[in-house]
Amino acid sequence: MLIKVINPNTTASMTEKIGACATAVAAPGTVIQAVNPTMGPASIESHYDEALAVPGLLEQIALGEAEGVDGYVIACFGDPGLDAARELARGPVIGIAEAAMHTASFLGRGFSVVTTLGRTAGRAWELAHRYGMAGFCKNVRACEIPVLDLEIPGSSARETITQECKRAVEDDQADVIVLGCAGMADLCRYITDQVGVPVVDGVAAATRTVESLVAMGLATSTRSEYAAPPVKQYVGLLDGFTVER
Amino acid sequence: MLIKVINPNTTASMTEKIGACATAVAAPGTVIQAVNPTMGPASIESHYDEALAVPGLLEQIALGEAEGVDGYVIACFGDPGLDAARELARGPVIGIAEAAMHTASFLGRGFSVVTTLGRTAGRAWELAHRYGMAGFCKNVRACEIPVLDLEIPGSSARETITQECKRAVEDDQADVIVLGCAGMADLCRYITDQVGVPVVDGVAAATRTVESLVAMGLATSTRSEYAAPPVKQYVGLLDGFTVER
Amino acid sequence: MLIKVINPNTTASMTEKIGACATAVAAPGTVIQAVNPTMGPASIESHYDEALAVPGLLEQIALGEAEGVDGYVIACFGDPGLDAARELARGPVIGIAEAAMHTASFLGRGFSVVTTLGRTAGRAWELAHRYGMAGFCKNVRACEIPVLDLEIPGSSARETITQECKRAVEDDQADVIVLGCAGMADLCRYITDQVGVPVVDGVAAATRTVESLVAMGLATSTRSEYAAPPVKQYVGLLDGFTVER
Amino acid sequence: MLIKVINPNTTASMTEKIGACATAVAAPGTVIQAVNPTMGPASIESHYDEALAVPGLLEQIALGEAEGVDGYVIACFGDPGLDAARELARGPVIGIAEAAMHTASFLGRGFSVVTTLGRTAGRAWELAHRYGMAGFCKNVRACEIPVLDLEIPGSSARETITQECKRAVEDDQADVIVLGCAGMADLCRYITDQVGVPVVDGVAAATRTVESLVAMGLATSTRSEYAAPPVKQYVGLLDGFTVER
Amino acid sequence: MLIKVINPNTTASMTEKIGACATAVAAPGTVIQAVNPTMGPASIESHYDEALAVPGLLEQIALGEAEGVDGYVIACFGDPGLDAARELARGPVIGIAEAAMHTASFLGRGFSVVTTLGRTAGRAWELAHRYGMAGFCKNVRACEIPVLDLEIPGSSARETITQECKRAVEDDQADVIVLGCAGMADLCRYITDQVGVPVVDGVAAATRTVESLVAMGLATSTRSEYAAPPVKQYVGLLDGFTVER
Amino acid sequence: MLIKVINPNTTASMTEKIGACATAVAAPGTVIQAVNPTMGPASIESHYDEALAVPGLLEQIALGEAEGVDGYVIACFGDPGLDAARELARGPVIGIAEAAMHTASFLGRGFSVVTTLGRTAGRAWELAHRYGMAGFCKNVRACEIPVLDLEIPGSSARETITQECKRAVEDDQADVIVLGCAGMADLCRYITDQVGVPVVDGVAAATRTVESLVAMGLATSTRSEYAAPPVKQYVGLLDGFTVER
């Protein structure tokens, strides 16, 4: 089984870290292909970044379809382009916020999300509502750490995040922590040891979810909304995105 | 006051129609600038189209900011790129689904949306939930008409839509009809006469809403989520989207 | 276009202030007629006051219909008598809580209402739920200022309200403030300057909303619930309210 | 124990019927005083009627307070004036829609309301939401019978209502029927026999609920929202409603 | 009328207290039979305890049916076995959480539950959602008192609970307090005097609710979900639970 | 990894089928132990059956803990005893309704559940609400087939279920089907081929979910609600359930 894990930003060090975390939890026989787009923003910290990460993500889905990929993970906590990716891909596509929130709901009465920037909290709540997980989400907490600080060796980011997770347990009475950024995937084990409640990394959760769906022979329904997009003309800078069939 | 009405697809005849409908309802002294992007899909009929309409839309917002535009309408019923546009624009930005649903809620206990393709109904419901309007939305009905059929003079589209609106009143007990596509803007008066309940065209509603917000001196809050996006590197095909300040 | 703005209490100084605020935002060509009833309470600070303000309000609607009024604003944050007024009026009727909450939802992820007395907060939440705006409403905060204190020149009310608005931004993380009393309409500009987020005055918002509906040719649906009330006998003190057709 | 059951319309024959139904279910020792106002509409079939029934209702509450009434029933399915009445009364006040819906929720997974006119369905749903009962309410069905037709001996109203109740059981899969008008109180036994599921009459349910609250020493909280209304000036036709303390 | 009040744990002193509280509020002519099962846990403080209290409870229902009981109260705040009991019993069955929450909703805008152990708060919220009462529930507060400490004369439990109730009024702005354990039934009067808002004991509320339903001739609907359970084989330790008809 | 799949009824043929379906999807290296209790009902078709299936289920969990089981599946669509099992087990516990509904939400906009008896639909909806999946659940459809008919070779059950699934796709516009009974697990492939949309079997979904959680090192949070149950006395028939530590 071939699972393509797409980091939708263009920072290769983050892609490498995400790939390692996905590989660590995959079942024997599953091949993880971790990539990032060749176009778009270096990190995703705004709706603007998120919107402009999507073309590069969709290009990677289209490439994956040509290569026979079995399923996809979108490794950014805003789950950018999830619906569009589902239209393009034959196999299942899962976002890491989606997988992390569902997984956390299996482990306790409620979770808190601990994320990077406060300006992304609105999007996290929006996703929680869309996925039916708002009733489980006790809080979305921000550490006000820029995403790429997570890539700096020796930064104080790990401790800042751990402290925020502890506050989530004490103040929100969270049973479970959800890490709100793909760049935190490698911190999951350390924080678990520090806070004493389950900590869910969406990269791992989404990788296992896709793997399970493929193993069960399940893929996105093509009945109506997620059928392949109608063929039509694309022009200008984006003319390369014309779907061909 | 200068309001820029952006048709996010690249079909100029639709842009022209949208501009005429916006102009028809604008107050004296308001100038309507109707445009469409130079890149992207000819019509928006899938999540894929919607995602790839956003870069061209954002380019138009950026151009508008340079030109001193006071507020923006996003004239596609999926309200693509609304959050990102709000980060870029100094003035208010309103989507036509957003404006139409809110407006319909002022006129009766519940409305039905009548739209083009059934595959877009999921998105319409998602927006209804996001805007708090799901409790007012009795149904989303599709006519299974491709968007660009609305541009063909003499097509049967107008009658098909009118019949679906009549069914909405009778079967859904809708007090109000919301037209679910910017391309239907010019049908509003005709359908109103046929169905006997208020019919809301989102292009008109959004134009008036933006105009009112500007008149009251109101614009998107820049407190946190909708502050200007952080400056960062954009690469590849999309390097032109690097924000400069 | 003639818009009648009805202050449902009997305090003329408040009516005057409300009229000035409505006039200030109206488009050229719109005439604002600000009135208050000749019967009922001097201010509305309880469910009891609100219920007994409604007959006088409805009398004003009936008078307005005879005078050819195009649309109505109910200028009290409890939106008293809104449904009944919609049955009587041919044109649109909008409450200031309704207009303010919808307007605030266009400007950010969430708003807080800052109002006079804590005992009215339950009603404000009830309206937020009815209008679909509860998901946007972060808090309803009271200053514990009697309504008519807003009419006393030189009182500390303005500063008390401003401080509460600042707390809403800091503690509730409100992107937008909604002023929860028609008597605060004249404070909107001052508070905006102090708190640094958009501040919405319902009198202005409702006036522009009615104006827009009339401009679009939209009025309350007469399909079922809001059709003219059935004719019947009224007796006793209220026999003057018999509807005649 | 003295319970005052107030029919908020001015039709004495309905008041008599309501009183008989309340008396029939009251515990030994409970005295039922059934009254109607001296002012207002002969029946309540619109928001307009409902709003104008409230002053007469509140007059009856005020009279009851002077007479030492222990608790009140508001015997109209729109529960008019409930909040205002709670501010005035020392003892508990219950509306018949409120009591009927709560009671029905004790008896099965879901109920349907069968009411008179379709134009009142919006109000019934609004109350279901307010009382937390919307999740139990499968449908609100109207028979399109004017309220006062229920007072005509030998009319076909009883059969029309019974047929609608049967459809509710079959088509809505309702476990329980809620009668949506105080004027149907005397039909409860007959319809129960016909439809084979529990049928709830709000007059009986509210009478027993008030009785139970009084027996437990419970009354409306006076902490904030439902404290006695602030004293203030009332003028004009309604000057008699000035609260004195 | 014979009402059987079942304490689902096996602690006789608590059963006695519960019986006294039920008897104190019952109408003249109502006989209260307070019992506890002969099998199961001494107190209910976990989901495990709750699940294992149910067989003993159901045995008591089956015995009651043989004895001609008219209705049942389940006197534990988790309302264990409520659905199963409704299938077995001909008359109505009410849980004390159910009755207390509904009753509290009649008395103010919102209530707080004050309970024993924090680990039961999740269940209390779950019930609030199921009963439609979540919108009225401002908080569920725990005193961290083991249930059987309430049975120890002279313990500090009463004061601890009273203090928590006071915090609920001040910090949650609760209009009403709901006591979250059958073992607190005897504290209702004392706490009411201390906190100045209505305090609802579920044992009293459920007793009166059952009594009212029986008086109105109402019982659980047998239409589908709550019809008598299908007859089938039971084996092993539980073979005595085979339903016979 | 050792996963114990517990069929909570006592019918061995169903246990065998469930075990085969779980084994078929498990990853290499995962051992499936399929069991059923030694006490309780032969099938679960009522709340009564469900309640009395729980003691036998909990006995199996306790045995599993002694045997070093890594995680558990509760293989009945009512997810009986899920919360109690989570308190007992060190590893994760997943119900098949829980897993199936979450899985279906990954594959389309909405699913319909197709189940055996209509009387269980209320419980299915209750679980959908609890898990946050109600917004995805378009309908719960019953075939009115007794559970054990699924064990009869050559019965018409398979065709009846398949036809109901087809109706769900056409009438509910379901993108995905959820099979509402563990006894349908072996029909998943056949029905998928017939209806043309993804069909989710909860036994497979739950097995893979537990496997994934164990692989990620995740288990139920022991912070508060799901900590091990307090030790206490159990008496009578159930004295064997006393927890010892």
mmCIF file of all heavy atoms in Angstrom, chain B residues 10-34:
data_model
loop_
_atom_site.group_PDB
_atom_site.id
_atom_site.type_symbol
_atom_site.label_atom_id
_atom_site.label_comp_id
_atom_site.label_asym_id
_atom_site.label_seq_id
_atom_site.Cartn_x
_atom_site.Cartn_y
_atom_site.Cartn_z
ATOM 1 N N THR B 10 -14.066 32.870 -15.032
ATOM 2 C CA THR B 10 -13.461 33.684 -16.091
ATOM 3 C C THR B 10 -14.404 33.937 -17.266
ATOM 4 O O THR B 10 -13.954 34.331 -18.347
ATOM 5 C CB THR B 10 -12.180 32.995 -16.609
ATOM 6 O OG1 THR B 10 -12.540 31.675 -17.056
ATOM 7 C CG2 THR B 10 -11.123 32.886 -15.517
ATOM 8 N N THR B 11 -15.695 33.769 -17.055
ATOM 9 C CA THR B 11 -16.664 33.949 -18.138
ATOM 10 C C THR B 11 -17.179 35.382 -18.152
ATOM 11 O O THR B 11 -17.962 35.784 -17.282
ATOM 12 C CB THR B 11 -17.817 32.938 -17.977
ATOM 13 O OG1 THR B 11 -17.271 31.619 -18.081
ATOM 14 C CG2 THR B 11 -18.878 33.144 -19.051
ATOM 15 N N ALA B 12 -16.776 36.122 -19.140
ATOM 16 C CA ALA B 12 -17.036 37.566 -19.175
ATOM 17 C C ALA B 12 -18.521 37.890 -19.291
ATOM 18 O O ALA B 12 -19.000 38.880 -18.726
ATOM 19 C CB ALA B 12 -16.277 38.209 -20.352
ATOM 20 N N SER B 13 -19.299 37.063 -19.993
ATOM 21 C CA SER B 13 -20.724 37.385 -20.138
ATOM 22 C C SER B 13 -21.424 37.320 -18.782
ATOM 23 O O SER B 13 -22.324 38.095 -18.498
ATOM 24 C CB SER B 13 -21.390 36.419 -21.130
ATOM 25 O OG SER B 13 -21.376 35.099 -20.616
ATOM 26 N N MET B 14 -20.963 36.401 -17.955
ATOM 27 C CA MET B 14 -21.558 36.338 -16.618
ATOM 28 C C MET B 14 -21.157 37.552 -15.785
ATOM 29 O O MET B 14 -21.971 38.110 -15.039
ATOM 30 C CB MET B 14 -21.164 35.037 -15.916
ATOM 31 C CG MET B 14 -21.982 34.798 -14.665
ATOM 32 S SD MET B 14 -21.586 33.247 -13.822
ATOM 33 C CE MET B 14 -22.178 32.061 -15.004
ATOM 34 N N THR B 15 -19.924 37.972 -15.944
ATOM 35 C CA THR B 15 -19.454 39.167 -15.225
ATOM 36 C C THR B 15 -20.302 40.381 -15.591
ATOM 37 O O THR B 15 -20.675 41.182 -14.726
ATOM 38 C CB THR B 15 -17.983 39.439 -15.589
ATOM 39 O OG1 THR B 15 -17.233 38.250 -15.349
ATOM 40 C CG2 THR B 15 -17.413 40.590 -14.763
ATOM 41 N N GLU B 16 -20.594 40.478 -16.868
ATOM 42 C CA GLU B 16 -21.387 41.616 -17.342
ATOM 43 C C GLU B 16 -22.788 41.617 -16.730
ATOM 44 O O GLU B 16 -23.278 42.634 -16.231
ATOM 45 C CB GLU B 16 -21.481 41.524 -18.871
ATOM 46 C CG GLU B 16 -21.910 42.799 -19.545
ATOM 47 C CD GLU B 16 -21.840 42.623 -21.069
ATOM 48 O OE1 GLU B 16 -21.117 41.694 -21.533
ATOM 49 O OE2 GLU B 16 -22.514 43.393 -21.782
ATOM 50 N N LYS B 17 -23.404 40.452 -16.731
ATOM 51 C CA LYS B 17 -24.744 40.319 -16.147
ATOM 52 C C LYS B 17 -24.724 40.656 -14.656
ATOM 53 O O LYS B 17 -25.606 41.370 -14.151
ATOM 54 C CB LYS B 17 -25.227 38.882 -16.372
ATOM 55 C CG LYS B 17 -26.565 38.565 -15.793
ATOM 56 C CD LYS B 17 -27.110 37.239 -16.338
ATOM 57 C CE LYS B 17 -26.205 36.072 -15.990
ATOM 58 N NZ LYS B 17 -26.757 34.785 -16.459
ATOM 59 N N ILE B 18 -23.743 40.139 -13.955
ATOM 60 C CA ILE B 18 -23.610 40.400 -12.517
ATOM 61 C C ILE B 18 -23.440 41.891 -12.261
ATOM 62 O O ILE B 18 -24.061 42.466 -11.356
ATOM 63 C CB ILE B 18 -22.416 39.589 -11.964
ATOM 64 C CG1 ILE B 18 -22.771 38.098 -11.927
ATOM 65 C CG2 ILE B 18 -21.980 40.103 -10.600
ATOM 66 C CD1 ILE B 18 -21.584 37.169 -11.689
ATOM 67 N N GLY B 19 -22.604 42.514 -13.072
ATOM 68 C CA GLY B 19 -22.382 43.956 -12.914
ATOM 69 C C GLY B 19 -23.659 44.743 -13.099
ATOM 70 O O GLY B 19 -23.952 45.691 -12.359
ATOM 71 N N ALA B 20 -24.449 44.346 -14.080
ATOM 72 C CA ALA B 20 -25.705 45.066 -14.336
ATOM 73 C C ALA B 20 -26.655 44.931 -13.155
ATOM 74 O O ALA B 20 -27.307 45.899 -12.749
ATOM 75 C CB ALA B 20 -26.355 44.534 -15.612
ATOM 76 N N CYS B 21 -26.728 43.725 -12.580
ATOM 77 C CA CYS B 21 -27.640 43.522 -11.442
ATOM 78 C C CYS B 21 -27.168 44.289 -10.221
ATOM 79 O O CYS B 21 -27.980 44.818 -9.456
ATOM 80 C CB CYS B 21 -27.757 42.026 -11.135
ATOM 81 S SG CYS B 21 -28.643 41.132 -12.443
ATOM 82 N N ALA B 22 -25.875 44.346 -10.008
ATOM 83 C CA ALA B 22 -25.350 45.108 -8.872
ATOM 84 C C ALA B 22 -25.626 46.591 -9.064
ATOM 85 O O ALA B 22 -26.066 47.286 -8.134
ATOM 86 C CB ALA B 22 -23.843 44.847 -8.715
ATOM 87 N N THR B 23 -25.381 47.080 -10.253
ATOM 88 C CA THR B 23 -25.597 48.497 -10.535
ATOM 89 C C THR B 23 -27.055 48.880 -10.340
ATOM 90 O O THR B 23 -27.367 49.969 -9.841
ATOM 91 C CB THR B 23 -25.150 48.806 -11.978
ATOM 92 O OG1 THR B 23 -23.766 48.450 -12.097
ATOM 93 C CG2 THR B 23 -25.330 50.282 -12.306
ATOM 94 N N ALA B 24 -27.945 47.978 -10.718
ATOM 95 C CA ALA B 24 -29.379 48.286 -10.652
ATOM 96 C C ALA B 24 -29.865 48.561 -9.233
ATOM 97 O O ALA B 24 -30.832 49.295 -9.043
ATOM 98 C CB ALA B 24 -30.184 47.137 -11.264
ATOM 99 N N VAL B 25 -29.229 47.965 -8.240
ATOM 100 C CA VAL B 25 -29.704 48.169 -6.862
ATOM 101 C C VAL B 25 -28.849 49.151 -6.068
ATOM 102 O O VAL B 25 -29.219 49.534 -4.959
ATOM 103 C CB VAL B 25 -29.775 46.830 -6.073
ATOM 104 C CG1 VAL B 25 -30.808 45.893 -6.696
ATOM 105 C CG2 VAL B 25 -28.411 46.175 -5.939
ATOM 106 N N ALA B 26 -27.691 49.540 -6.601
ATOM 107 C CA ALA B 26 -26.805 50.411 -5.830
ATOM 108 C C ALA B 26 -27.428 51.789 -5.631
ATOM 109 O O ALA B 26 -28.200 52.259 -6.471
ATOM 110 C CB ALA B 26 -25.459 50.539 -6.542
ATOM 111 N N ALA B 27 -27.091 52.402 -4.513
ATOM 112 C CA ALA B 27 -27.589 53.741 -4.213
ATOM 113 C C ALA B 27 -26.906 54.748 -5.129
ATOM 114 O O ALA B 27 -25.827 54.482 -5.670
ATOM 115 C CB ALA B 27 -27.314 54.074 -2.747
ATOM 116 N N PRO B 28 -27.537 55.918 -5.304
ATOM 117 C CA PRO B 28 -26.882 56.957 -6.100
ATOM 118 C C PRO B 28 -25.528 57.297 -5.464
ATOM 119 O O PRO B 28 -25.411 57.368 -4.239
ATOM 120 C CB PRO B 28 -27.830 58.151 -5.988
ATOM 121 C CG PRO B 28 -29.130 57.607 -5.488
ATOM 122 C CD PRO B 28 -28.820 56.355 -4.755
ATOM 123 N N GLY B 29 -24.528 57.457 -6.295
ATOM 124 C CA GLY B 29 -23.206 57.798 -5.783
ATOM 125 C C GLY B 29 -22.291 56.597 -5.623
ATOM 126 O O GLY B 29 -21.094 56.757 -5.410
ATOM 127 N N THR B 30 -22.856 55.407 -5.705
ATOM 128 C CA THR B 30 -22.029 54.206 -5.607
ATOM 129 C C THR B 30 -21.601 53.769 -7.006
ATOM 130 O O THR B 30 -22.443 53.647 -7.895
ATOM 131 C CB THR B 30 -22.812 53.070 -4.935
ATOM 132 O OG1 THR B 30 -23.166 53.486 -3.615
ATOM 133 C CG2 THR B 30 -21.991 51.796 -4.880
ATOM 134 N N VAL B 31 -20.317 53.529 -7.162
ATOM 135 C CA VAL B 31 -19.796 53.051 -8.446
ATOM 136 C C VAL B 31 -19.514 51.559 -8.327
ATOM 137 O O VAL B 31 -18.863 51.121 -7.378
ATOM 138 C CB VAL B 31 -18.497 53.798 -8.823
ATOM 139 C CG1 VAL B 31 -17.897 53.230 -10.121
ATOM 140 C CG2 VAL B 31 -18.772 55.289 -8.940
ATOM 141 N N ILE B 32 -20.050 50.800 -9.261
ATOM 142 C CA ILE B 32 -19.839 49.353 -9.290
ATOM 143 C C ILE B 32 -18.782 49.021 -10.326
ATOM 144 O O ILE B 32 -18.915 49.416 -11.487
ATOM 145 C CB ILE B 32 -21.151 48.617 -9.639
ATOM 146 C CG1 ILE B 32 -22.248 48.925 -8.623
ATOM 147 C CG2 ILE B 32 -20.904 47.109 -9.779
ATOM 148 C CD1 ILE B 32 -22.001 48.451 -7.226
ATOM 149 N N GLN B 33 -17.765 48.291 -9.906
ATOM 150 C CA GLN B 33 -16.735 47.813 -10.835
ATOM 151 C C GLN B 33 -16.837 46.287 -10.872
ATOM 152 O O GLN B 33 -16.501 45.622 -9.891
ATOM 153 C CB GLN B 33 -15.363 48.263 -10.304
ATOM 154 C CG GLN B 33 -14.201 47.827 -11.161
ATOM 155 C CD GLN B 33 -12.852 48.117 -10.471
ATOM 156 O OE1 GLN B 33 -12.803 48.357 -9.259
ATOM 157 N NE2 GLN B 33 -11.772 48.070 -11.228
ATOM 158 N N ALA B 34 -17.361 45.763 -11.979
ATOM 159 C CA ALA B 34 -17.534 44.303 -12.072
ATOM 160 C C ALA B 34 -16.383 43.697 -12.865
ATOM 161 O O ALA B 34 -16.106 44.144 -13.986
ATOM 162 C CB ALA B 34 -18.864 43.975 -12.727
#
